[in-house]
């Protein structure tokens, strides 16, 4: 697999990353054995960037990743961990904690659950509105000095927060949603990241399945699947978004590719400083996503994609209103 560099001073990673969240949380039931087999298949294919969060399944996701990496070379995995999300025993959400003491506490537990002596990229999942970003990043910087963290990342922050964080310590990458249906970063966040030498790890490249080419109007969702409250999956919004997918399908068929592969390839084509994260939970879906590596988009292809799914075409916001309020990137 090809590699890309995250930011000016960040690590070299595979040109696609694997997001593990759905293996533990928020997308309904997942098969643990198949999840581990999918991580193994990713590593065998040369995929190195593995993204998790300490609050995914309240620690389950990190434990799953530890099991998946057992017997594998630690140096072949670039582990990215988000922290700060506060949960309760029933899976509820209680805000975010970015206090320096909390940062060090979260890190200690992640290192133990992952069974590793360092985390390659450590990042707050969201900004804590009660804690200046300088304090949160400064605490992670101390952990870099201690050798427990290799690089600092951020997630879902705006241009001003990027500048403030970078002034404290070099930031390797910004993890943020970016897809054909979510292009808000193009106005100011992406240019600022590039000015500062900060890479982008793009999650939601398939818009939580909408752009997979496999979604249909009649799909039933479990109570644990947060897409059941996601605006883009509701009523007329879903119909309008699926119509965009069908327009994209025509382009994919002409290229001998799948809709998912075209959507992933489009994100990758937006710049060599962008690494798409795919949230495959099964080997079948991983194999399809990896096929995007072989999809080369010409200028004519990109123009056709833009016409089929222009910026701002998505119906509905990417999160429900209460969750949107946590996004510094949307302010």
């Amino acid at each position: 697999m090809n590699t890309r560099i995250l930011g000016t001073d960040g690590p070299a990673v595979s040109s696609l990353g694997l997001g593990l969240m759905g293996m533990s949380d928020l997308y309904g039931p997942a098969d643990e054995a198949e999840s581990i087999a999918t991580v193994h298949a990713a590593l065998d294919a040369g995929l190195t960037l593995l993204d998790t969060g300490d609050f995914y399944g309240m620690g389950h996701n990190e434990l799953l990743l530890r099991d998946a990496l057992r017997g594998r070379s630690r140096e072949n995995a670039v582990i990215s961990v988000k922290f700060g999300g506060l949960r309760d025993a029933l899976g509820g959400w209680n805000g975010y904690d970015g206090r320096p003491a909390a940062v060090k506490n979260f890190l200690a537990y992640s290192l133990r659950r992952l069974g590793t002596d360092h985390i390659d990229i450590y990042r707050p999942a969201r900004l804590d509105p009660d804690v200046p970003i300088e304090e949160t990043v400064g605490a992670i910087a101390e952990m870099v000095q201690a050798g427990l963290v290799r690089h600092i990342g951020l997630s879902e922050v705006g241009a001003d927060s990027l500048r403030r964080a970078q002034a404290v310590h070099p930031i390797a990458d910004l993890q943020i949603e970016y897809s054909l249906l979510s292009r808000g970063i193009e106005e100011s966040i992406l240019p600022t990241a590039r000015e500062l030498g900060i890479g982008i790890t793009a999650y939601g490249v398939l818009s939580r399945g909408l752009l997979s080419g496999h979604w249909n109007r009649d799909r039933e969702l479990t109570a644990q699947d947060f897409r059941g409250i996601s605006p883009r999956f509701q009523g007329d919004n879903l119909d309008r978004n699926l119509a965009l997918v069908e327009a994209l399908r025509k382009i994919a068929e002409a290229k001998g590719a799948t809709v998912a592969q075209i959507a992933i390839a489009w994100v990758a084509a937006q710049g060599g400083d962008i690494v798409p994260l795919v949230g495959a939970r099964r080997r079948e879906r991983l194999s399809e996503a990896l096929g995007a590596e072989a999809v080369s988009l010409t200028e004519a292809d990109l123009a056709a994609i833009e016409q089929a799914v222009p910026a701002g075409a998505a119906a509905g916001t990417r999160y429900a209103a209460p969750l949107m309020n946590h996004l510094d990137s949307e302010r």
Side-chain angles (χ1 to χ4, degrees), residues 54-55 83-88 91-97 102 106 128:
D54 64 8
F55 51 89
F83 70 87
L86 302 177
R87 308 288 299 272
D88 61 35
W93 297 86
N94 296 303
Y96 297 90
D97 193 344
F106 290 136
D128 181 341

Side-chain angles (χ1 to χ4, degrees), residues 287-303:
S287 178
E288 180 182 13
L290 293 174
E293 279 269 286
V295 177
S296 178
L297 298 176
T298 66
E299 290 299 322
D301 293 330
L302 292 170

Side-chain angles (χ1 to χ4, degrees), residues 108-152:
Y109 281 84
S110 285
L111 290 169
R112 177 61 63 91
R113 282 190 293 261
L114 288 164
T116 185
D117 63 358
H118 72 278
I119 289 172
D120 298 287
I121 312 171
Y122 200 52
R123 70 183 82 243
R126 300 287 187 270
L127 291 192
D128 181 341
D130 298 321
V131 179
I133 192 171
E134 291 87 351
E135 293 185 14
T136 302
V137 171
I140 308 174
E142 291 180 28
M143 300 299 94
V144 173
Q145 290 296 316
L148 300 174
V149 171
R150 295 274 175 87
H151 302 280
I152 300 178

Side-chain angles (χ1 to χ4, degrees), residues 238-273:
L238 179 58
D239 292 332
R240 290 166 59 189
N241 291 328
L242 288 178
L244 297 173
V245 173
E246 291 310 305
L248 195 60
R249 193 184 304 277
K250 295 178 181 178
I251 297 171
E253 290 174 348
K255 291 287 291 184
T258 69
V259 174
Q261 289 167 347
I262 291 293
I264 295 167
W266 180 87
V267 174
Q270 301 313 299
D273 53 351

Side-chain angles (χ1 to χ4, degrees), residues 161-181:
S161 295
L162 277 180
R163 293 186 186 281
R164 290 169 56 192
Q166 181 78 353
V168 175
H169 187 279
I171 303 299
D173 71 318
L174 169 65
Q175 188 175 114
I176 194 164
E177 186 168 354
Y178 189 34
S179 74
L180 280 164
L181 297 184

Side-chain angles (χ1 to χ4, degrees), residues 214-235:
H214 304 295
W215 201 269
N216 64 71
R217 188 69 176 79
D218 301 322
R219 180 164 173 173
E220 294 185 6
L221 300 176
T222 67
Q224 293 76 33
D225 194 321
F226 94 102
R227 289 172 293 194
I229 62 168
S230 174
R232 291 182 177 174
F233 289 82
Q234 309 304 311

Side-chain angles (χ1 to χ4, degrees), residues 20-35:
L20 276 66
M21 182 185 75
M23 296 177 181
S24 299
D25 215 355
L26 300 175
Y27 287 126
D31 181 273
E32 188 162 313
E34 179 61 23
S35 295

